[in-house]
Amino acid sequence: MSKANKFIATLYQVLESNEYFNYVSWTNNGTSFTIHKLDEFQKIVIKDCFNSISIQSFYRQMCLYGFRLRKKKGLKEYSHPNFIQGRFKELGLVQRKRKNQAISDELIKVSNSLKDQLQKLKEQQYSFLYQLKAQYEIHKILSNKIKSLLSQFENQYPEFWKQQMRIILKLIVGCKPFYGVQTSAPLYEILKDDLLQQNDFYSPKQLPFQ
């Protein structure tokens, strides 16, 4: 069996000594360890035992040696199938990944992350399309209801309907003669049986609201 790497051996000794128990320790079953206080771990344990390397360098080493990270609130829990409490002889099995393997693992992580993001985008898209469809159906129902009410109103009260159209026509043509000629054509068709006289046009001040 190959000899344990210095970094791994040092990490194992730190956990076995219990000197830094308040900052880092084995979990109850001994199959993983937890960094309890990240700031103290960096300032004390890293400084005393790992030649003052940066905390980011420590994290990279853990990744290169194949440790799996499980994040909790304010904690970091690491595990490795060959890094177990009481099994010092197996530490030689904890080997650094080859460069190609490390790159491959990183690409897998990125790929999985992109897949998760794509799935979330698809779910959001389905939700958005469903909402659009629901809004379309609502508007369709409301539009049909309005058309039905207008048709019913026009059929039941034709004289009142024409009276309102006359007022609108008078107001449009009275305010802007040229514009009124263009926009009042549809109303003119409705009221052509009862043509308005030129002097019957209204201006806004003349419009009888009562």
Side-chain angles (χ1 to χ4, degrees), residues 20-203:
Y20 303 100
F21 181 81
N22 290 331
Y23 317 123
V24 59
S25 65
W26 292 108
T27 54
N28 292 334
N29 57 17
T31 60
S32 60
F33 69 92
T34 303
I35 301 176
H36 306 293
K37 300 178 180 179
L38 298 178
D39 290 339
E40 287 82 352
F41 178 80
Q42 179 179 0
K43 294 176 182 178
I44 300 175
V45 181
I46 294 293
K47 180 180 179 181
D48 293 351
C49 307
F50 296 95
N51 297 323
S52 298
I53 64 174
S54 68
I55 190 64
Q56 296 302 326
S57 177
F58 177 85
Y59 294 153
R60 280 196 300 272
Q61 292 295 322
M62 299 301 293
C63 180
L64 289 173
Y65 279 101
F67 281 83
R68 297 188 64 179
L69 171 62
R70 182 183 179 187
K71 293 182 180 181
K72 299 180 180 179
K73 291 184 178 180
L75 305 175
K76 286 182 180 291
E77 182 180 331
Y78 286 98
S79 63
H80 191 286
N82 298 310
F83 191 85
I84 299 175
Q85 187 177 22
R87 299 184 184 179
F88 179 79
K89 293 182 179 181
E90 296 182 9
L91 295 183
L93 298 175
V94 183
Q95 295 290 323
R96 284 176 64 113
K97 297 178 183 179
R98 295 178 179 178
K99 186 175 181 180
N100 290 339
Q101 183 182 359
I103 294 175
S104 178
D105 290 346
E106 188 63 27
L107 289 176
I108 291 174
K109 289 181 181 179
V110 172
S111 177
N112 290 335
S113 176
L114 290 175
K115 287 180 180 178
D116 292 340
Q117 293 180 30
L118 180 60
Q119 182 61 32
K120 290 180 180 179
L121 288 174
K122 285 183 178 180
E123 293 174 357
Q124 293 175 0
Q125 184 183 35
Y126 291 146
S127 175
F128 181 67
L129 290 175
Y130 176 81
Q131 293 177 21
L132 282 179
K133 185 176 180 180
Q135 289 297 324
Y136 170 78
E137 294 298 328
I138 292 173
H139 291 166
K140 185 177 179 181
I141 292 172
L142 290 175
S143 177
N144 290 335
K145 185 66 175 177
I146 291 172
K147 288 180 180 179
S148 176
L149 289 173
L150 288 175
S151 178
Q152 181 181 358
F153 180 81
E154 182 178 4
N155 293 332
Q156 290 184 358
Y157 308 99
E159 293 303 321
F160 181 75
W161 179 266
K162 286 186 177 182
Q163 180 183 0
Q164 304 309 310
M165 293 299 102
R166 289 190 189 97
I167 294 175
I168 293 174
L169 184 61
K170 291 176 182 179
L171 180 60
I172 292 175
V173 179
C175 290
K176 296 182 179 180
F178 178 77
Y179 175 78
V181 171
Q182 301 296 323
T183 59
S184 61
L187 297 178
Y188 176 83
E189 291 298 323
I190 296 175
L191 302 173
K192 61 184 178 181
D193 59 329
D194 187 17
L195 293 176
L196 298 174
Q197 298 299 322
Q198 182 68 32
N199 56 9
D200 198 24
F201 293 153
Y202 292 149
S203 69

